[in-house]
Each structure stands twice: as C-alpha cells, then as structure tokens.
Amino acid sequence: MSAPDDLASAVRDEPAAQEQAEQQAQERTKPVGLGPVGWMRWTWRTLTSMRTALILLFLFALGSVPGSVYPQRSVDPGRVAQYFKNNPTQAKWLDRFWLFDVFSSPWFAAIYLLLFISLAGCVFPRALTHIKEIRRRPPAAPRNLLRLPHSEAFEGGLTLEEAAAALRRRRFRVVTGDGWVSAEKGYLRETGNLLFHVALLVLLFAVGAGGLFGYRGNVLVVEGDGFSNAVAAYDRFMPGSRVTAESLEPFSFTLKDFQASYVAAGEKQGQPLDYLAKLTVQDSPTAAPREVDLKVNDPLDVNGTLTYLIGHGYAPTFRVTDGKGQVAYDGPVPCLAGDQATYTSECVIKVPDAQPTQLGFLARFLPTTVPNGDAWVSIFPGAANPTVQVFPFGGDLGLKSGQPQSVYQLDTTNLKPLGKMSAQPTPLNVGETKELADGAGKIQFTGVKEWISLQITYDPGREPALLAAAAAVIGLVLSLTIRRRRVWVRVKDGTVTVGGLTRTEGGGAAFAEEFTQIVTALRGDPPADDPSADKPDGGAPDAPTGNAAPGARPDEE
Amino acid sequence: MPAEVNESLATLSDQLILATVLLYLAAMICYALDLAFGRARTVVAVRRRQLVGAGGPALPEDTTGDTTEDPGPQPAAWAVRAGTIGVVLTWIAWAGNLGGILTRGIAVDRWPWANMYEFVVAICFAAVTAFLALLIRQPIRFLGAFVTVTAALGLGFAVLFLHVQAGPVMPALHSYWIAIHVTAAIVASGLFILAGVCAILYLIRKDGRPSVLPSREGLERVAHRAIVISFPIWTFAVIAGALWADRAWGRYWGWDPKEVWAFVTWVVYAAYLHARATAGWRGKAAMVVSLVAFACLLFNLVGVNIFFSGLHSYADVPK
Ligand code: HEM
C-alpha cells in the first residue's frame, strides 16, 4: 500500500495505484530470458492481476451462453436426444465441444478454476495487507493540509484533545502527534470486499461438495402406491460420486390422494390453480406414520432429504382378460400428457402374460371428453368425463430381446393390429369393456387414478452455500457503501487547519458533506451561514467549502 | 386460491396504464423543451469556464462537469418552467403507474408481477421511481426526457405486445418468494435502466463540445451510482431466486436459460465494477461494459422468454 504521507499516491484510490504498481512490476519481470522461477513468478503475477480477472470474468459469462442456446443433458436429456435425431452431424460436432454439457465441460471448468485461482491469489495477499492496515495507526498529517482535496482553516481556540475527542465521537480511529491529529475511518470497506470475494470461493466449494456428497432422483408414484427411499425404487437416480446406498435416508410414504384444480371458465380455462398430494409418511421403518400435504413450493423434509412435487398425470386402470379367459393384467397405467391445456394423454399397456399371444395396447386418455365431428377430444384438464380410446395389438412385445424398453413405447415390429385399426375408435367409459378381435380376449376400462412425479434430493452443500451467499451480499454492501476516509487537524498559533481525503472512488460528493459537518463540529459554533466568510486564504471563491465543492472530486482523478 | 377476477378493477388498471403512457410522453415533451431552450445558455456559460480552465492551471472544477445545476445567465424562463411541469407530470404519471399496478394486484388478489406484461409494467415503474428518488437529491433533471421516453416505450410495448388478461397464476408461483425475488429483480432492473440511459448518453455525448447534456464525467457518475446501488440488489435477487428454486424445483441452481442469463448479467456487471478499478478501463471502456451488461439484462427479460424454453416459462407471452 502507499506510504501514508506520500500524498500523490494516497490521493489516488487504492486499486488503481495497486494496479499500476502491478503493471510496473509486470513490465520489469517480462519473462525474456528468465529462468523457470521467473516464469512462474510472471505467470502467477499475470494470473492474479486485475486485468486477467476481468478477462476471465468475461470468458465466464461468454462460456455460459451456449448453455442457454443448446439443450443441456443435465436439464432436459429428452431435448438433447431430439437434437441428435434432427441434426445428427451438427449434434456430433456440438457434442465434441461439450456443448450439451456446458456446465460440466472441461473448458468451462478451466475458466472458473482459473478465475478462482486468480481470485484466491488476489484476495489472500490483500487480506494480509488489510490486517496490517487495520493494526497500523492512522498516518501522520501531511505538511500542507490546505492542498488536500477537502480542506478548511479557521481561527479558534480548539485544542488538539478537543479535536481528537470530536473525531473519536464520530467513530474515527484517532492518533495525536506533535501539533496534529490524524483520524481514519471506513476500514470495513476493504473488510467487506474481502468477505465478498472469500464468500465466492466458499460458495464454489459448497456447490462442489453438494455435488459429490448429494444425490438426486426421480420417481413416479400412482395413487394408492408407495415409495421407500432406496436406490432400486427410483426411476432415475443420479448420485454424487461419494454417495453410497447406505447413506440414503430410510423414509417411506404412500400416496393416498392427489388433487389438482383448474380455472373452470374464461380466457384462462384449464390453467392449473393448485396441486395437492396427500401422503402418509414414515420417517424411518420404526417411526409412527404422519400425514403430510405435499404441494408445489412446499417440499417434504425428512432430515434434510427433500421430496418435491414436480409433475402429475393420469393413470387409468384396466383389466385385461386374455383369450383363455385368464385375467392377465389388472392395474393402473401411467399416461403422459401431450397437451397441458387438455391433458389428452397417451399410454401403453403391455400384457406379456396373455395367452395364446402377447397383447399390447396403445391408449389415448381424454379427461373431459366431448364428441367433435367423427372424433373425440378433451376440452379440459380435469377428469370431468374421462374416456379412453384403445388400439389393441397382438403378437410379440419384443421384451425377450434383452434390449431395455421404455414403458411409454410399444415396439410394434412384431405386433399386428387386432381387428380394423381406426384413428378414432369409440372411446370407452369407465366400466366399459372392449372385446378384442380374433378371440384374443377383452379389455375393461375400470377407473381413473392419478400419478405424481417426485424429485428427491439430498444436497449437504445447500446450507453452506446459502451462508456463503448471504456473506457475499453483506460483504458487497459494505464494500460498495462504505467510504474509507482520513481527516487531519493541525493547530498552530491559534489557527486550526483541517484536511480530509477519501480514498474511495465515487465517495467525494458525500464526503464533502461529512467534511463540512466535521469542520462545523470542530468550530463548535452552530452551522454557519457562510463558512467561507472567515476563511483566511479564501479558497476557491465560488466554492463555499473550500475545495470540497459537490462537483469537485479530484480524489477520483 | 381464489380464481375470481374483479373485472372492473382489472379494466381500470388497463386504463390507468394507458393514461400513464400518455402522461410520460407529455412529461418527455416538457423535459425536451427544457433541454432544448432552457439550458442553451447554461451550456455557453459552462463552455466559457472550460475554455478559461484549459488555458490556466487545471482546476478540478473544470473537468468535473456541470451537473450541479448552474443557473448561468438567464435561460428562457418559460422553458425552465416546462422542465418543472415535466417533473410534476412525471410524478402524476408515476402515481398512475403505481395505481395501475395496485389495481391489477387487487383485482387478481396476488402480487401483480407474475407474467411478462406485469413484470415490464413494474420495471418501468421502478425505473421512474429510481429517477424521481435520485432527483430529490441530485441535479439529474436532464435525464427526465430520456427516462420518461424509455418508460413510455416500455409500457407501450407491454400494452401492445405483452398484454394478457388479469388472472390467476400457476401453482409454482403461489409463494411468498414472488414478493421477495421478483420485487428485488424489478428494483434492480429499474436502476439498471437508469444506468443504461446514462451510459448511452455518455457514448452519444462528445467531450469538449457544447451540449445540453452534462459532461461525460457527470453522466458516468450517475450511471456508476445507479449500478453500485443495484448490483447488490441484483445479487440478492439472484440468490432469492435460487432459494425459491430450491423450494419449488428441488435444486437451487440448474442452469435453466433464465438462470444462465441472470448469471451472465451478474458477471458482466461485476466485470464493469472491476473495469472501473482497472487502469485503462475507466471511462468509455467501462461504460461500454456496463452497456453489454444492460443488453444481457434486457435479453434475459425479453429474449429468453421468447427464444428459449425452460422452467421459467410462466412469462405467459401472448402468441
Ligand atoms: C468470481 C469472480 C469475481 C467476482 C464475481 C468479483 C466481484 C467483485 C465485485 C462485485 C466488486 C465490487 C466491489 C467494489 O467495487 O468495491 C469487486 C471488487 C474487487 N475485486 Fe473482484 N470479483 C471476482 C474476482 C476477482 C479477482 C480474481 C480479483 C483479483 C485479481 C478481484 C479483485 C477485486 C478488487 C481489487 C476489487 C476492489 C475494486 C474496488 O475497490 O473498486 N476480484 N469484485
């Protein structure tokens, strides 16, 4: 930091001075013909310079942009697959540059790691300097206080002790010397700035740790069914690399009921209003069951493992009787809604146990059915008049091939439609049965259930991340609102000279006001109407408070 | 959640917003008259001082501009009065804007910034509020014409292209976080708009030439002040958004397009603050950086809702 009584550099605000010194240092150590140590020093200096930080910040911003342009695997794997289907060559190239995984890509990691190394390399030396600064006494008064950006002189009987006391009362840190008082205030600015930058480092670690020790999983649960928290129970489970099966919180629940309400009429007809899932939860296998209302924005919390309601849909129930008269399937089938406004949903029923041939069905579920010409459509997402259109197939479902199959897709390569296939088969009402052609059996639409999809997460980094973020905001506010300022008072032969200096960019105008108040307090008389009247050297004639005119801020260059 | 909408209040809200647009335009004309005729001589006066300064030793006052309203020798009195009328009109329009927001909120019985129309209306209100609040203590009347025209354009855009009927919102928006997160985003955006207007004027303004605008330093100072206030608010808004996402979606940060752009905006404003502290980047370069950040902010507001799909798809943009 600048020598305290070196006025020229004290007037300039610190980072700039620091930056210049840095630059000079860099110039001196340009790695021409330097040994390895010199190179390392140069690299470190360059990496931790403010300019590099600035460039890395830009790269950081620029690097995240493709993450919003291209679909991301971590956000929506379905859309990535779609992209591969639509533009295979382009997708291959994009994938080579990790553009579908921007935020876990090596190049993105390189940017933020460099940035954070730069940050650490910048912050820790500054923290040491700051600790020294805090311990140091305010610097001695410069020789000519009237040359400071804010200054004033007046006649009076003020003693040094009185001046020191007045400044202490204003919470300045004060030292007294031979004929002068020196006071300084606003150390919290740098403290805040350091707190902010360190908090960012902590935030990065918390996010990283959360990723390693936490997990995330999705599961779909139909009304009446249950879930217990074990890896095998998930439809999709994404553990951090440090998660073991035993570390899963052993809770379980059953979904008793799910209710969705929608706007009934008007322009926004069909817009969802509220979702409510009624659960019976057991926090551990031995715990007493408790009733929980699960809602959006209100997750279930079991010792830090959180269960979120993130989606819902219909699961019509069917009973399939095969050609031999056996009930080969009896239960719900989750359907996916293609259209949120009507909840027209599609599902697949696979009946591998049916005899003599395996049966498969495509079904279209219409929650509120109305006829529309030769067709039927749904006009509302609520289940006011539920029907289902069934498209039956017989043959080989292809389940034995060993290839994993989606439960939402019917592989029709070895299946034959049963009977005449129509695009709009007559829909079945609840309780109605459709006889299958060729004596293959029958299918009954037995009822309507709903399913919910849940996300279950455990992230031990959340709370540390929140604390770090809060610290960052506090640090930021301190660093942006507090001014670092010094005031000196010199008493000689009945003349009191006061000089002031703010070392904070942008603080000049506000400091001018504070400085005037300090001078008024030191004079001990009520706020003067025209303080320039008794100013011995006049100062600038159009500036009532000496150099401290509101617009004049030479301390900012 | 009540689904009924008080239709007459909703209509009143629409009418208030229309009236507000007209009032902002009227205020803009008054400010423009003040700029064009009320300040001309002031500028001559300032220029004279600058010339003196250029010859003699560089006095600090000469380089730091004339944002302190310099009475100068007698500007046209009617034009100055036009400026005052502009301020009065802006306050009235501000009240209309506020009324429009409140009536819509009461009509639907929820926080009135849950879709893009409401959000843009609220941001225009925040920008004008920021201007008026700063105007109480700072001589920034010169900004009036630019702020009111921005607000009028923003509101006009909202009314013409974004308007949706007042109504209830998606379950994910039933949360007190909308009051915290979205309000912070609105306040910060309003201040960023103020800074953006100053930055654009900064680039238009040529140094050393007479102009109705204050000096570049003066413009830069207002822009900087606005950003210094809004940056922590924006930071808070992003964090509050993460907290809300943690409640609603099961993760606090998931690189959803809206999150990506909020982050980009934040980083570029941080870059602006660093640029100010880096030798060689002050002045014009820093102002350009602040405008890049501002462009990111606007893109997040408009572009992301239109071009990208994501979880933040409540914007409810009319098709
Ligand atoms: C993760 C990246 C970073 C972010 C988001 C960030 C953010 C900020 C912000 C918002 C400020 C404004 C506070 C103020 O103006 O007083 C600031 C100031 C500062 N930052 Fe950073 N920073 C980052 C990295 C760095 C790095 C790598 C360095 C060092 C090379 C650095 C050095 C500084 C310095 C010296 C200041 C004080 C400037 C001043 O007083 O105006 N920052 N930083």
Side-chain angles (χ1 to χ4, degrees), chain A residues 15 18 48-50 53 57 115-116 118-119 122 126 189 193 196-197 200 476 479-480 505, chain B residues 231 266 270 273-274 277:
Chain A
Q18 201 181 326
T48 56
S49 82
M50 192 79 160
L57 275 174
L115 181 59
F116 279 85
S118 166
L119 180 59
C122 177
R126 271 176 63 204
R189 174 193 172 81
N193 191 293
F196 170 75
H197 286 86
L200 291 185
L476 195 56
S479 132
L480 290 176
E505 198 182 359
Chain B
F231 186 76
W266 184 76
L273 290 174
H274 282 85

Side-chain angles (χ1 to χ4, degrees), chain A residues 2-12 142-145 147-149 488 501:
Chain A
S2 52
D5 43 3
D6 173 2
L7 200 59
S9 73
V11 169
R12 211 176 288 125
R143 214 167 304 119
N144 188 353
L145 292 182
R147 276 180 49 207
L148 289 172
W488 291 277
L501 174 64

Side-chain angles (χ1 to χ4, degrees), chain A residues 7-261:
Chain A
L7 200 59
S9 73
V11 169
R12 211 176 288 125
D13 70 66
E14 257 161 300
Q18 201 181 326
E19 173 77 10
Q20 273 181 4
E22 236 167 51
Q23 259 182 314
Q24 282 162 9
Q26 272 175 42
E27 244 123 56
R28 261 185 268 122
T29 55
K30 276 273 155 62
V32 194
L34 281 180
V37 180
W39 267 102
M40 274 164 65
R41 280 175 65 107
W42 177 82
T43 313
W44 181 247
R45 282 240 174 80
T46 311
L47 185 61
T48 56
S49 82
M50 192 79 160
R51 183 158 314 199
T52 312
L54 192 56
I55 292 167
L56 287 171
L57 275 174
F58 275 121
L59 284 179
F60 201 19
L62 204 64
S64 29
V65 171
S68 71
V69 176
Y70 300 108
Q72 298 295 298
R73 284 209 177 85
S74 59
V75 178
D76 195 344
R79 275 183 54 224
V80 178
Q82 195 64 39
Y83 205 105
F84 266 90
K85 221 162 154 189
N86 298 347
N87 319 298
T89 7
Q90 204 190 341
K92 221 170 77 193
W93 275 100
L94 292 176
D95 207 23
R96 249 171 228 168
F97 295 101
W98 293 276
L99 288 174
F100 299 116
D101 304 282
V102 167
F103 302 104
S104 50
S105 70
W107 56 263
F108 193 73
I111 296 174
Y112 71 73
L113 287 179
L114 278 178
L115 181 59
F116 279 85
I117 292 172
S118 166
L119 180 59
C122 177
V123 161
F124 288 111
R126 271 176 63 204
L128 294 182
T129 316
H130 184 52
I131 290 171
K132 267 192 233 136
E133 284 243 319
I134 288 180
R135 292 230 194 95
R136 205 185 58 199
R137 289 149 30 110
R143 214 167 304 119
N144 188 353
L145 292 182
L146 289 173
R147 276 180 49 207
L148 289 172
H150 306 264
S151 65
E152 177 124 18
F154 55 88
E155 313 278 328
L158 183 79
T159 65
L160 284 179
E161 288 70 38
E162 283 165 358
L167 286 165
R168 268 198 203 97
R169 228 172 295 127
R170 292 179 163 264
R171 305 179 136 267
F172 273 84
R173 176 178 298 190
V174 179
V175 289
T176 320
D178 179 21
W180 50 263
V181 174
S182 167
E184 181 157 10
K185 187 174 172 179
Y187 296 87
L188 265 183
R189 174 193 172 81
E190 181 73 356
T191 310
N193 191 293
L194 291 169
L195 174 67
F196 170 75
H197 286 86
V198 171
L200 291 185
L201 284 173
V202 175
L203 185 64
L204 181 77
F205 281 113
V207 172
L212 284 182
F213 293 96
Y215 61 84
R216 196 146 61 96
N218 297 91
V219 62
L220 183 148
V221 181
V222 178
E223 281 173 324
D225 287 356
F227 168 84
S228 55
N229 192 23
V231 175
Y234 283 96
D235 298 332
R236 181 164 168 235
F237 186 67
M238 292 156 280
S241 57
R242 294 298 168 86
V243 174
T244 57
E246 298 84 64
S247 54
L248 268 64
E249 188 71 30
F251 69 98
S252 61
F253 56 79
T254 12
L255 173 62
K256 288 195 306 184
D257 188 22
F258 174 77
Q259 295 154 7
S261 54

Side-chain angles (χ1 to χ4, degrees), chain B residues 74-205:
Chain B
Q74 296 304 310
W78 63 269
V80 174
R81 205 168 310 131
T84 311
I85 294 172
V87 174
V88 173
L89 282 176
T90 314
W91 276 107
I92 299 174
W94 177 85
N97 202 341
L98 177 64
I101 293 173
L102 288 179
T103 44
R104 189 156 169 123
I106 299 168
V108 291
D109 193 18
R110 60 170 169 77
W111 289 86
W113 35 74
N115 55 49
M116 205 153 139
Y117 167 74
E118 295 168 352
F119 192 61
V120 171
V121 168
I123 286 181
C124 293
F125 174 73
V128 175
T129 310
F131 165 68
L132 288 173
L134 281 184
L135 185 63
I136 293 174
R137 296 201 50 202
Q138 316 258 327
I140 55 165
R141 186 182 287 184
F142 69 91
L143 274 178
F146 307 99
V147 171
T148 45
V149 76
T150 309
L153 286 175
L155 286 182
F157 176 75
V159 168
L160 287 178
F161 300 109
L162 304 175
H163 184 265
V164 287
Q165 224 67 65
V169 292
M170 319 268 294
L173 294 179
H174 300 171
S175 169
Y176 55 87
W177 281 110
I178 194 171
I180 301 168
H181 164 63
V182 186
T183 309
I186 287 170
V187 172
S189 303
L191 281 156
F192 282 141
I193 286 178
L194 204 62
V197 168
C198 289
I200 292 170
L201 294 179
Y202 179 99
L203 294 188
I204 293 171
R205 174 93 163 84

Side-chain angles (χ1 to χ4, degrees), chain A residues 357-362 391-398 410-421 436-438 440:
Chain A
T357 131
Q358 291 188 326
L359 296 174
F361 302 85
L362 293 175
F391 306 82
F393 295 84
D396 179 6
L397 289 170
L410 194 61
D411 176 7
T412 52
T413 33
N414 295 315
L415 290 174
K416 274 206 325 270
L418 292 171
K420 210 166 123 282
M421 195 48 81
L436 304 179
D438 310 336

